[in-house]
Amino acid sequence: MADDIQKLPKIRPYHRLSYKLLRWVLMTALMAGGVLSMVQIFLDASRAAIEMDDQAQQILAVMRDPAAQAIYSIDPELANQVVDGLFQQRAIIQASIYHPDGSYLSHRTRPLRSAPYRPLTDPIFQEQRSYEIPLTRNQQVYGGLRITLDTAETAEIFLERSLLIFISGLLKAFILSLIVYAVYYYLLTAPLMGIIRSLLKVDPASPAQKKIPMPKWHQKDELGLWVQIANQLLQSIEDNQQQRLAAEARVLKMSQYDALTGLPNRALFRSHLQSALEDAKRLHQKAALLWIGIDDFKSINDQYSYAIGDQLLQAIAERLTEHSEVFHTLCRLSGDQFAILQYNIGTPYRAAKFADSLLRSLHSPFFIEHRRFQLQATIGIALFPDDDVDADRLLQKAEQTMMLAKNTHRNQFTFYVASIDSELRQRKQMEKDLAGAIENNQFQLAYQPQIDMRTGKVIGAEALLRWQHPSRGNIPPDVFIPIAEANDSIRDIGAWVINQACRQLHQWQQEGLDLHIAVNLSANQLRQRNIVDIIRKAIQDNQLQPHQLELEITETSFMENLSEAVETLRDLREFGVRCAVDDFGTGYSSLSYLKQLPIDKIKIDRQFILDLESGDNDTSIVSAIIQLGRSLKLGVIAEGVETEEQKNYLLANGCTEAQGYFYSKPLTTDEFRKFYHRHKPAA
Ligand code: C2E
Ligand code: CA
Ligand code: CA
């Protein structure tokens, strides 16, 4: 789900919490600062005014005595001195000493100072302020002293101070907001963003997998609590989800599997079947659908109990399961009916073999509650794609086949298509017949001469198996040998061939024939563990030299299990037996393989010799094979030589040994003996 992790959405700075808070704090702090400063300024103003008044009163108090002396003695000189003294104060713009009638003894004025801030401060302090005191002597008033102050100077100082107060107020507010902003950011915004980031990483499918980490230093505050509760919530969501999934899975299992045996039920099997058939179609593979009906199961239920019937069905399911490999799907269709889909069967024979093994397995006894049950079943087989390509119709056909077969022959398998059925029955029959062929002396060997083309002399014989079937006559080895290979009976048959060929060679040797004998060895025999012993014994029993026996093995047989084959051949060659690669050129024919193989000879395949006539393409193949054999110091023999031209070509290209109808067909022993003597070069 990593792809689903969302990116952190961008929040515009303007919208961030910390910025909002900053704005608010700044605004209110500024406002509060402003108001507070204003109050302070206001108080300051009245204090300044009072100070101004006090100062004036002080001045007046200081000048009272000299002024009183001047007016008492009506001394203008002294009065002027007092007034001039007063004018030393820059703030004083008018000073006068006057008589009680208002006439001046001394009077002096100067203009108001002009200043730009006057309109602002004059309303507070007035333009000017006047003070006077009576001048007395001996409790008698002789006149008065009056001064007028210009407020500008005090106002200027006041203004400077106010500005300072105001600015420092604002500055304080600003610094305070910044501190609040930082604290808020580190305490709240940053951890919140961290939480949001971890929330984004939460996988909705398993929310508790990635818990939200506890922000540092917040374990015990509201944030910590928030994270704790959110994590608990995620955990319970996950638990809940898992419970739901488990419940769904249970329901699904119940709806797809048979409760008694635990096998897939018909619905699930059908969907498996459909997808398997699609795969098979894509891969061009064949598949077989086997419908298995247990014979007379009803009578078991009737005779015993349903409980026993159920146990038996479970045991049957178990036994069938043992048989179904990776390439099978097994299900219980209903009551006593099961089905198996066998994938990639290659040939129908595989299905037949499998059905046969199922029948045998079901037939071996079951023990339920100390009772012994031996079952029989009937199997209907429908093939994909031969019988049908549609899953439902294939099921139907398999069932039909099983039902029909139940009426006629039980304990058997039957194919939907009769031709396959009869072919397989024949094959089965042949298997049976093959099993008795040795005892019934139905096998014979034919011998095809191998010739040295330079002299025409017979140098060897290939033993070729012949089967005289009591009812079907001569059956060609191409037909029965693959069957014998498939069911391993080739091992006994092959051993018979080896013994028979060796015995024959021994007899010919006694009669003075000088030759070797070639015997075909199949891939199956090459895998046989005691093959070396069998061959060694045959040679010793018949007092032959090991090099007189040549084994013909096809390339494909080697390749089926290279290392094992090489080992067997090494043992044989150590003993002295010779090995030839049969049908050379039709298999892998890789030079690198050839070098590794412990062999003595290659046998050019019949097809290349046949094609020699048709064009020069194969002529070059044949000469190349001959060259290859020579360069690896291997003997080369050509098989299937039928014409003089072929013989001449081979000789011209350095191949001296041959076998084929041009010289002789495979012969009986008597015929062979005669052929040998007829072709003895004149000594
Ligand atoms: P193979 O080993 O290639 O045997 C040669 C086959 O070519 C023989 O057929 C032989 O009759 C046939 N043949 C010989 N010369 C000519 C010719 O000039 N022209 C043509 N068209 N055919 C020729 P056969 O006897 O029917 O054997 C067929 C195959 O059966 C053999 O092919 C071999 O693979 C297998 N086989 C025969 N006997 C045995 C045996 O005892 N054991 C095993 N494992 N396989 C055997
Ligand atoms: Ca051969
Ligand atoms: Ca051959």
Side-chain angles (χ1 to χ4, degrees):
M1 299 292 263
D3 303 345
D4 282 1
I5 291 181
Q6 300 160 36
K7 274 183 91 183
L8 187 65
K10 266 248 167 333
I11 302 179
R12 287 216 207 126
Y14 184 77
H15 286 150
R16 287 197 191 142
L17 260 184
S18 37
Y19 279 82
K20 273 189 192 163
L21 190 84
L22 175 66
R23 272 204 315 275
W24 276 99
V25 170
L26 198 59
M27 221 156 69
T28 44
L30 286 182
M31 255 154 58
V35 169
L36 283 177
S37 307
M38 288 319 284
V39 170
Q40 209 171 341
I41 289 167
F42 177 76
L43 289 173
D44 195 48
S46 59
R47 206 182 65 220
I50 291 168
E51 257 172 24
M52 205 153 38
D53 292 348
D54 286 352
Q55 196 190 359
Q57 294 302 340
Q58 256 174 14
I59 293 171
L60 286 177
V62 170
M63 289 304 182
R64 185 190 355 228
D65 284 350
Q69 181 64 43
I71 198 97
Y72 176 71
S73 49
I74 314 176
D75 182 349
E77 193 112 340
L78 183 60
N80 281 343
Q81 270 175 14
V82 170
V83 167
D84 285 347
L86 282 170
F87 256 67
Q88 295 294 307
Q89 301 285 325
R90 284 206 315 132
I92 293 175
I93 51 164
Q94 191 270 124
S96 51
I97 300 170
Y98 55 89
H99 298 288
D101 60 357
S103 58
Y104 297 120
L105 180 62
S106 178
H107 175 71
R108 195 169 161 188
T109 58
R110 55 183 163 200
L112 276 170
R113 215 177 342 143
S114 72
Y117 45 80
R118 291 219 77 121
L120 196 70
T121 51
D122 284 353
I124 302 171
F125 299 111
Q126 298 144 17
E127 258 182 1
Q128 53 192 38
R129 295 168 90 99
S130 294
Y131 309 89
E132 57 186 330
I133 43 166
L135 297 173
T136 56
R137 202 146 231 208
N138 308 325
Q139 268 113 38
Q140 199 171 335
V141 175
Y142 290 93
L145 175 62
R146 178 161 55 227
I147 53 173
T148 303
L149 293 184
D150 182 352
T151 57
E153 200 178 352
T154 304
E156 192 182 354
I157 295 168
F158 161 77
L159 258 190
E160 276 169 8
R161 228 175 22 235
S162 298
L163 205 64
L164 207 68
I165 290 171
F166 197 70
I167 289 175
S168 80
L170 291 191
L171 216 61
K172 268 188 243 162
F174 191 69
I175 290 170
L176 182 75
S177 343
L178 277 183
I179 290 171
V180 169
Y181 167 75
V183 168
Y184 193 79
Y185 179 82
Y186 283 107
L187 235 52
L188 212 59
T189 311
L192 259 183
M193 287 311 274
I195 290 173
I196 292 170
R197 257 183 236 110
S198 359
L199 267 180
L200 286 174
K201 284 189 202 138
V202 168
D203 178 2
S206 50
Q209 286 305 315
K210 278 195 190 132
K211 291 241 170 74
I212 305 168
M214 179 63 73
K216 243 190 189 174
W217 324 116
H218 290 281
Q219 285 90 333
K220 288 184 181 151
D221 62 17
E222 291 86 335
L223 264 185
L225 197 64
W226 191 95
V227 167
Q228 205 181 322
I229 292 176
N231 277 336
Q232 280 169 8
L233 190 67
L234 289 179
Q235 184 64 53
S236 30
I237 291 174
E238 173 150 347
D239 291 349
N240 212 295
Q241 216 158 303
Q242 239 138 35
Q243 276 166 15
R244 208 194 63 230
L245 285 178
E248 274 174 10
R250 263 202 310 280
V251 170
L252 192 72
K253 192 169 159 91
M254 257 149 59
S255 70
Q256 295 194 320
Y257 290 85
D258 169 40
L260 181 64
T261 59
L263 293 179
N265 65 12
R266 185 193 281 255
L268 180 60
F269 183 69
R270 213 179 133 260
S271 81
H272 277 328
L273 183 63
Q274 257 159 355
S275 59
L277 293 187
E278 267 158 37
D279 288 348
K281 190 172 169 191
R282 196 161 32 81
L283 301 168
H284 303 288
Q285 291 178 344
K286 284 174 183 283
L289 180 61
L290 289 80
W291 189 297
I292 306 158
I294 309 296
D295 294 343
D296 291 327
F297 193 78
K298 212 174 135 328
S299 68
I300 292 173
N301 272 338
D302 295 344
Q303 209 176 326
Y304 302 95
S305 66
Y306 279 102
I308 287 200
D310 281 355
Q311 286 183 51
L312 192 55
L313 281 172
Q314 284 169 338
I316 292 171
E318 248 165 58
R319 201 166 283 182
L320 290 177
T321 310
E322 279 167 21
H323 275 266
S324 47
E325 307 158 7
V326 192
F327 296 113
H328 301 156
T329 312
L330 168 66
C331 86
R332 181 174 173 221
L333 290 162
S334 64
D336 56 354
Q337 315 268 302
F338 297 83
I340 296 183
L341 176 67
Q342 193 184 12
Y343 306 111
N344 193 15
I345 53 167
T347 74
Y349 177 69
R350 284 267 306 278
K353 217 175 147 182
F354 180 51
D356 200 47
S357 69
L358 288 177
L359 289 176
R360 257 183 286 131
S361 163
L362 289 175
H363 197 59
S364 58
F366 290 88
F367 293 95
I368 309 282
E369 294 186 358
H370 310 298
R371 288 201 188 82
R372 183 173 188 277
F373 295 90
Q374 204 161 11
L375 297 179
Q376 293 197 339
T378 305
I379 301 179
I381 305 174
L383 299 174
F384 171 92
D386 308 71
D387 294 339
D388 220 308
V389 289
D390 175 76
D392 287 325
R393 284 201 301 268
L394 209 61
L395 268 167
Q396 205 182 356
K397 285 179 177 173
E399 182 180 20
Q400 244 173 39
T401 312
M402 193 278 294
M403 297 304 276
L404 278 174
K406 261 205 172 153
N407 297 332
T408 52
H409 32 256
R410 295 178 157 208
N411 196 27
Q412 281 224 359
F413 63 86
T414 311
F415 280 87
Y416 176 75
V417 165
S419 66
I420 291 177
D421 207 45
S422 69
E423 190 186 304
L424 279 154
R425 269 178 217 299
Q426 267 184 33
R427 188 178 167 137
K428 228 182 143 191
Q429 188 59 45
M430 193 179 284
E431 277 186 3
K432 244 185 229 164
D433 296 346
L434 261 180
I438 296 178
E439 285 144 60
N440 299 328
N441 285 322
Q442 290 164 1
F443 285 131
Q444 264 184 352
L445 288 182
Y447 300 92
Q448 188 172 31
Q450 296 183 335
I451 310 291
D452 181 337
M453 288 188 281
R454 291 166 302 186
T455 58
K457 185 183 178 310
V458 177
I459 51 169
E462 178 178 6
L464 292 160
L465 189 57
R466 298 290 174 258
W467 182 17
Q468 190 64 39
H469 191 276
S471 57
R472 296 177 58 194
N474 219 332
I475 299 179
D478 293 327
V479 173
F480 69 84
I481 289 202
I483 295 175
E485 278 218 48
N487 74 359
D488 285 351
S489 60
I490 190 70
R491 296 189 170 185
D492 290 339
I493 297 171
W496 179 88
V497 172
I498 292 163
N499 273 312
Q500 184 63 25
C502 288
R503 197 175 312 143
Q504 188 57 55
L505 185 61
H506 173 73
Q507 195 189 327
W508 281 334
Q509 208 168 295
Q510 304 237 300
E511 293 168 13
L513 276 68
D514 173 27
L515 43 78
H516 67 255
I517 195 136
V519 172
N520 292 290
L521 203 72
S522 76
N524 189 323
Q525 287 174 279
L526 207 55
R527 288 195 300 268
Q528 194 178 342
R529 218 172 304 130
N530 59 348
I531 188 67
V532 180
D533 296 332
I534 290 173
I535 291 168
R536 197 184 289 147
K537 186 165 185 305
I539 287 173
Q540 284 162 354
D541 287 353
N542 294 291
Q543 296 138 39
L544 298 178
Q545 301 292 317
H547 70 83
Q548 288 181 289
L549 179 65
E550 192 170 281
L551 300 170
E552 292 192 1
I553 302 162
T554 60
E555 274 173 278
T556 32
S557 310
F558 280 118
M559 297 314 162
E560 266 179 33
N561 192 345
L562 190 64
S563 57
E564 214 179 307
V566 165
E567 209 171 294
T568 305
L569 286 194
R570 284 236 167 83
D571 290 349
L572 286 168
R573 280 185 85 219
E574 223 164 82
F575 176 57
V577 171
R578 293 150 55 88
C579 298
V581 182
D582 205 354
D583 302 346
F584 186 81
T586 57
Y588 300 87
S589 314
S590 140
L591 188 61
S592 56
Y593 273 133
L594 204 59
K595 274 189 195 157
Q596 287 176 33
L597 294 178
I599 51 168
D600 306 276
K601 200 177 197 176
I602 51 184
K603 197 170 188 182
I604 308 173
D605 187 61
R606 196 161 58 241
Q607 192 57 44
F608 298 115
I609 308 300
L610 186 72
D611 291 344
L612 269 184
E613 246 93 277
S614 58
D616 33 26
N617 199 11
D618 277 294
T619 62
S620 55
I621 291 181
V622 170
S623 68
I625 294 175
I626 297 169
Q627 288 308 315
L628 178 65
R630 284 177 141 194
S631 67
L632 293 173
K633 303 217 162 34
L634 298 172
V636 180
I637 184 169
E639 72 175 350
V641 178
E642 295 184 353
T643 65
E644 177 116 42
E645 288 78 27
Q646 292 166 345
K647 171 199 153 188
N648 290 336
Y649 178 89
L650 289 164
L651 267 178
N653 280 276
C655 171
T656 57
E657 293 182 18
Q659 182 183 340
Y661 294 169
F662 177 67
Y663 293 102
S664 169
K665 296 204 163 185
L667 305 170
T668 63
T669 44
D670 292 337
E671 287 169 341
F672 187 89
R673 192 182 294 111
K674 280 184 203 135
F675 184 90
Y676 181 90
H677 288 302
R678 230 182 306 132
H679 290 81
K680 243 194 323 212

